[in-house]
């Protein structure tokens, strides 16, 4: 073979290696929460790897660009129509669009949301997260939009075979929705015996009580989760989500401000960035709101300035700019 024929082959191999390296760099920055840098790297990377559109879609969501996110993920689904994670991400994106939709469009979005959850579960039937999300859809959606408690029960029974703990948590949501206090108490007693050291149990209870407007009982459960030792990624997420919710409920109650602020600062100091966890700019905005309630104007101003400088979300930036202007007036 002539040497001249080897040159294009070498260039092709080098290009492929460079793109693979760039994709890994983009993944690293994404995992570290450096979304602007990750987006820049990924946009310059030529790759058919499904991670690229997944990351770009999730960055677009954080940047208040759900339409852009939808385009990324729908293009990816066309390329890989049997990838469960793509359908789950599609559901995430459509859920955001549904929240912002007019009454004339919301029905269509919710139908798409349901189809994507179902497809994700169909393609990955042993994925407990996907099935749990589908169960929550059935429990929370109005009946006219596909909510169905009987379907939720069917999937809970399937979930029991895959992940008994996740099934117990789903039953707590179910019995709370049905207002079946006896079944709720029995289910709670059962799950506490086997999984009483899991922060996610108490985080789930916090969510359930918050949804029922029982905010003090919610705080009681969330405090348990926040104080527990967390070693696995799932335990850490439950613990740090609990800290965020403590901050939120302290605002809703307009008391326990010191506790709420301490919880949010602990989140800022300890939580590892993740696309499915609150951005630290969001937490700083919450802290600024609490500082304002405590008449700590300088602290609130500093936090809001940091939000404006750091936030990917345009909506959050605008909220911070408006709050900062009100503090200055």
């Amino acid at each position: 073979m002539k040497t001249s024929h080897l040159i294009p082959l070498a260039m092709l191999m080098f290009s492929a290696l460079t793109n693979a390296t760039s994709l890994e760099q983009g993944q690293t920055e994404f995992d570290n929460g450096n979304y602007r840098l990750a987006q820049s790297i990924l946009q310059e990377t030529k790759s058919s790897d499904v991670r690229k559109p997944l990351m770009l879609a999730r960055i677009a969501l954080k940047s208040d660009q759900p339409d852009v996110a939808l385009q990324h993920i729908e293009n990816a689904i066309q390329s890989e129509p049997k990838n469960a994670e793509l359908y789950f991400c599609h559901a995430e994106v459509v859920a955001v669009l549904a929240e912002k939709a007019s009454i004339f469009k919301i029905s269509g979005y919710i139908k798409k949301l349901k189809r994507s959850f179902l497809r994700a579960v169909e393609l990955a039937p042993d994925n407990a997260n996907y099935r749990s999300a589908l169960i929550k859809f059935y429990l929370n959606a109005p009946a006219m939009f596909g909510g169905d408690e009987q379907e939720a029960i069917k999937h809970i029974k399937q979930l029991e075979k895959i992940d008994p703990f996740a099934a117990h948590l789903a039953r707590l949501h179910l019995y709370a929705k049905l207002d079946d206090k006896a079944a709720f108490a029995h289910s709670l007693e059962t799950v506490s015996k086997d999984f009483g050291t899991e922060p996610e149990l108490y985080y789930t209870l916090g969510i359930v009580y918050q949804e029922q407007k029982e905010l003090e009982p919610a705080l009681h459960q969330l405090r348990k989760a926040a104080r527990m030792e967390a070693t696995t990624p799932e335990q850490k997420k439950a613990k740090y989500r609990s800290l965020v919710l403590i901050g939120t409920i302290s605002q809703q109650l307009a008391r326990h401000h010191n506790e709420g602020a301490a919880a949010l600062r602990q989140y800022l100091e300890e939580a590892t960035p993740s696309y499915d966890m609150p951005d630290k700019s969001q937490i700083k905005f919450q802290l600024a709101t609490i500082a304002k309630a405590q008449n700590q104007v300088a602290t609130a101003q500093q936090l809001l300035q940091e939000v404006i400088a750091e936030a990917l979300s345009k909506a959050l930036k605008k909220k911070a700019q408006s709050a900062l202007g009100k503090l200055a007036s």
Side-chain angles (χ1 to χ4, degrees):
M1 183 182 292
K2 294 182 179 180
T3 304
S4 59
H5 293 164
L6 293 174
I7 294 174
L9 179 60
M11 291 178 64
L12 182 64
M13 293 174 65
F14 177 75
S15 176
L17 180 61
T18 301
N19 285 328
T21 302
S22 296
L23 183 66
E24 295 306 323
Q25 290 173 340
Q27 180 77 66
T28 298
E29 298 302 334
F30 180 86
D31 292 341
N32 289 334
N34 300 321
Y35 298 119
R36 287 191 183 88
L37 180 55
Q39 183 182 47
S40 178
I41 293 170
L42 292 167
Q43 287 173 337
E44 296 299 320
T45 302
K46 294 180 180 179
S47 174
S48 59
D49 192 305
V50 73
R51 288 179 294 165
K52 178 181 174 179
L54 271 171
M55 287 186 281
L56 287 172
R58 285 166 171 158
I59 293 169
L61 274 186
K62 287 184 174 291
S63 304
D64 293 327
Q65 296 178 304
D67 291 315
V68 174
L70 187 65
Q71 191 65 52
H72 281 304
I73 214 66
E74 288 187 342
N75 288 342
I77 287 173
Q78 288 181 358
S79 300
E80 293 197 29
K82 292 187 178 181
N83 187 304
E85 188 176 9
L86 291 176
Y87 286 97
F88 190 72
C89 181
H90 186 264
E92 292 177 327
V93 174
V94 172
V96 173
L97 288 165
E99 287 178 2
K100 300 179 179 181
S102 69
I103 192 171
F104 304 105
K105 293 184 177 180
I106 192 169
S107 176
Y109 281 127
I110 293 179
K111 287 177 182 177
K112 285 184 178 181
L113 178 67
K114 180 181 176 181
R115 284 199 299 268
S116 290
F117 276 142
L118 284 168
R119 185 66 172 142
V121 170
E122 178 186 358
L123 291 169
D126 292 338
N127 188 301
N129 289 333
Y130 297 170
R131 198 175 292 272
S132 294
L134 177 60
I135 291 166
K136 288 176 184 175
F137 170 84
Y138 280 128
L139 291 177
N140 294 328
M144 64 183 294
F145 290 144
D148 190 326
E149 289 160 4
Q150 291 306 310
E151 284 298 314
I153 292 170
K154 289 180 185 178
H155 282 280
I156 289 172
K157 290 178 179 177
Q158 290 297 316
L159 189 57
E160 286 172 346
K161 303 172 186 177
I162 304 162
D163 188 332
F165 181 42
H168 278 302
L169 299 182
R171 286 195 180 278
L172 290 174
H173 281 288
L174 170 67
Y175 296 137
K177 176 74 185 301
L178 296 175
D179 196 27
D180 189 335
K181 292 181 172 56
F184 183 89
H186 176 72
S187 184
L188 178 56
E189 182 181 4
T190 302
V191 68
S192 297
K193 289 177 181 177
D194 294 331
F195 301 101
T197 59
E198 289 294 334
E200 192 172 0
L201 170 59
Y202 306 102
Y203 171 68
T204 298
L205 290 169
I207 290 285
V208 168
Y209 288 127
Q210 184 196 33
E211 289 175 347
Q212 295 177 326
K213 311 300 182 186
E214 298 181 35
L215 299 185
E216 288 289 355
L219 267 180
H220 178 68
Q221 299 298 333
L222 294 167
R223 288 168 182 144
K224 293 180 185 178
R227 292 168 185 157
M228 297 184 81
E229 183 178 354
T231 54
T232 69
E234 292 77 15
Q235 289 173 338
K236 289 178 181 179
K237 284 186 177 182
K239 175 173 181 168
Y240 293 124
R241 285 172 178 158
S242 296
L243 289 170
V244 174
L245 200 51
I246 288 171
T248 300
I249 291 177
S250 75
Q251 292 173 253
Q252 292 173 338
L253 287 169
R255 56 180 182 271
H256 305 300
H257 283 143
N258 288 338
E259 179 184 13
L264 295 176
R265 291 197 178 279
Q266 184 179 349
Y267 181 93
L268 288 176
E269 292 167 5
E270 298 180 8
T272 301
S274 175
Y275 80 88
D276 57 353
M277 296 288 282
D279 287 344
K280 295 195 174 182
S281 55
Q282 293 175 303
I283 304 307
K284 288 182 178 181
F285 185 85
Q286 282 187 263
L287 270 170
T289 304
I290 292 175
K292 180 183 175 183
Q294 294 180 297
N295 294 317
Q296 298 173 358
V297 176
T299 299
Q301 288 175 324
Q302 176 62 39
L303 287 163
L304 291 170
Q305 288 167 353
E306 291 176 17
V307 172
I308 294 166
E310 298 168 6
L312 271 180
S313 167
K314 294 177 182 177
L316 184 59
K317 281 180 182 287
K318 286 182 180 179
K319 284 174 66 177
Q321 288 166 343
S322 175
L324 189 59
K326 290 176 181 177
L327 283 175
S329 62

